[in-house]
Amino acid sequence: MFPIFISGLASWLYFTAIVPLGYIYQDFPGQEAQVMLIASLPGLFAMAGAFAAAPLMRVMKNRNLVIISLSIALMGGLMVRFVGAKSLLLCIVGSSITGIPAGIIPVVNYAMLAEIAPENLRDKVCGWSDAMCTFGLIISSFLAGLLAQDGDWAKAFACFYLVIPVLVIVLLLYPRSDDKVLSATVAGEKTSAQEEGSYLPKSVIGIVIVKFFAGFFCLAVHYNISDYIINELQIGTSSLVGTASTFAWLFTALGSLFIFLWFKFFRGSSTLVSELIMGICMILMVLFPSRVMCIMGWMFMSVGLNTFHSACGTLAAMAPKGKMVGLASSLFMGATFSGEFFGAYVPAIIAEKVFGSSLPSQSILIGGIFCIVFGFISLPFCMKAYDIAFGKKN
């Protein structure tokens, strides 16, 4: 499973644009809507990649699919690095295609892990996969903040050079489709998925739908924090944003890494607790604006963010059976990224209607309120899917 986890390190680097976003606005005055596309369109392309992953896995080897996805990430990131302020259009294109591997690689990895993970690790491996994706974000966010602190935001995209060593490891070690560990039988016995047949629970479909709509609000902090700190509050530079992002993603990774403990304590109410944490932290960041609250609120909000994501992802991968695992994982990641794409706009639109303006702080506040709402909506679906996936063992 090690090379599968490693491939995730370079899959979510498309978040790099969020760190220097305040500087990008300054280089393209009066084009705020177009600039936001640099941060939001990768989510749309990730959605397309996630929905395409299931059919692509039927016609391509999983290893080749991961290799192609990583190559696309490298190409897109370096395009933005070397074009920079010379062309907003090319930056939008380059940043957009970095979202493709963000959708494909986690789906492929979920399906691989669901097939090969031992029974005692089934409640852990999807969270570990998410954690590795987030560790890549931690490294890239920290580097992006340092590289762009002089205002040259294009330097932040030099962090995409991290894709190169990951690509080498995947080329050498990622399991091939004909490996024994991925064969139809293990030690001469059918896998549990084969024994039970293909099955897609209705509760998983409910989780997918909730994840889509919750995505409108889950990333309200991420889309607005750079503008909030640099321009609205004027309390720091991209270096502060990058540092805060690093700690936030570290807490995000810890949430995924220990998702099995989250399940142990909260079981079927795991998603509700996660969304409550997210919502409360967002609200506090707005009510008590300061450097400390921005950093601390973002850190603890991130625990809720990825425990929510990993809990939903684990249930989407482990509750279905047989061929439905790949389909459910594809739908789940597609719903996640499509919801997060609209998340760049929906909180601002609602804030405009409610408050008469769409300041970053108001968008974050709206995000916090709706996270709490969708936490309660997710509860019955999570409880049912948890019983299906882990009920007998627990």
Side-chain angles (χ1 to χ4, degrees):
M1 295 186 290
F2 172 76
I4 298 177
F5 294 141
I6 289 296
S7 68
L9 275 174
S11 63
W12 286 359
L13 300 187
Y14 75 97
F15 272 102
T16 298
I18 291 173
V19 175
L21 195 58
Y23 289 139
I24 305 178
Y25 285 135
Q26 295 174 7
D27 269 0
F28 299 100
Q31 302 181 69
E32 287 79 7
Q34 294 92 325
V35 169
M36 177 55 80
L37 292 175
I38 296 177
S40 63
L41 271 184
L44 189 63
F45 276 69
M47 173 202 69
F51 283 135
L56 285 174
M57 289 166 65
R58 297 190 185 101
V59 297
M60 294 178 62
K61 293 182 178 180
N62 292 343
R63 175 177 174 275
N64 293 342
L65 195 52
V66 172
I67 290 171
I68 292 172
S69 298
L70 290 172
S71 301
I72 291 172
L74 181 62
M75 179 178 65
L78 294 186
M79 182 187 299
V80 181
R81 167 65 188 94
F82 291 110
V83 171
K86 298 175 184 176
S87 172
L88 178 58
L89 176 60
L90 288 179
C91 287
I92 292 173
V93 171
S95 181
S96 296
I97 64 176
T98 64
I100 294 174
I104 292 177
I105 294 176
V107 173
V108 174
N109 288 350
Y110 275 176
M112 296 276 282
L113 292 168
E115 183 173 353
I116 70 175
E119 185 65 29
N120 64 323
L121 296 180
R122 288 176 62 82
D123 60 345
K124 303 175 179 66
V125 291
C126 291
W128 291 349
S129 179
D130 292 337
M132 291 303 291
C133 295
T134 309
F135 280 128
L137 279 176
I138 294 170
I139 298 169
S140 63
S141 295
F142 178 73
L143 291 176
L146 291 180
L147 292 168
Q149 63 181 332
D150 61 353
D152 186 356
W153 54 268
K155 290 181 180 178
F157 286 82
C159 67
F160 274 85
Y161 283 117
L162 294 170
V163 175
I164 296 175
V166 173
L167 185 56
V168 172
I169 292 174
V170 169
L171 282 167
L172 296 175
L173 300 175
Y174 199 93
R176 298 176 183 270
S177 299
D178 56 354
D179 283 350
K180 291 181 179 180
V181 72
L182 297 178
S183 64
T185 60
V186 178
E189 298 180 1
K190 291 184 177 181
T191 63
S192 59
Q194 289 174 310
E195 290 174 347
E196 298 178 25
S198 296
Y199 174 57
L200 181 61
K202 293 179 181 179
S203 56
V204 171
I205 298 175
I207 287 174
V208 169
I209 295 173
V210 169
K211 195 64 166 63
F212 170 70
F213 287 106
F216 292 4
F217 308 100
C218 287
L219 293 186
V221 171
H222 294 74
Y223 280 127
N224 292 280
I225 192 68
S226 181
D227 197 18
Y228 186 44
I229 290 176
I230 295 175
N231 298 322
E232 182 178 345
L233 296 182
Q234 297 183 4
I235 58 174
T237 66
S238 71
S239 180
L240 175 61
V241 177
T243 301
S245 178
T246 300
F247 283 106
W249 287 122
L250 176 60
F251 272 60
T252 301
L254 293 176
S256 293
L257 197 61
F258 296 103
I259 187 63
F260 61 96
L261 294 178
W262 204 261
F263 276 133
K264 179 178 179 180
F265 288 112
F266 303 117
R267 300 178 183 270
S269 60
S270 295
T271 55
L272 170 60
V273 176
S274 298
E275 288 276 55
L276 287 175
I277 292 174
M278 291 169 61
I280 292 170
C281 288
M282 289 186 196
I283 293 170
L284 291 176
M285 289 173 69
V286 175
L287 295 181
F288 304 98
S290 65
R291 288 190 179 191
V292 172
M293 184 53 70
C294 283
I295 295 175
M296 297 298 293
W298 196 3
M299 286 166 55
F300 287 101
M301 186 281 299
S302 295
V303 174
L305 175 64
N306 241 34
T307 51
F308 177 66
H309 175 77
S310 293
C312 290
T314 299
L315 295 174
M318 298 304 172
K321 303 297 180 184
K323 296 179 180 179
M324 293 295 103
V325 174
L327 176 61
S329 297
S330 179
L331 291 174
F332 168 73
M333 293 305 300
T336 295
F337 289 118
S338 55
E340 290 176 358
F341 167 77
F342 289 111
Y345 306 100
V346 172
I349 293 172
I350 297 177
E352 182 73 36
K353 298 294 184 181
V354 175
F355 302 113
S357 64
S358 56
L359 292 172
S361 58
Q362 294 166 342
S363 296
I364 293 172
L365 182 60
I366 291 295
I369 293 171
F370 277 90
C371 278
I372 294 173
V373 171
F374 279 101
F376 284 101
I377 294 174
S378 72
L379 183 60
F381 302 113
C382 180
M383 293 181 69
K384 181 62 177 178
Y386 181 87
D387 286 342
I388 294 172
F390 306 113
K392 294 180 180 179
K393 182 175 67 174
N394 289 307

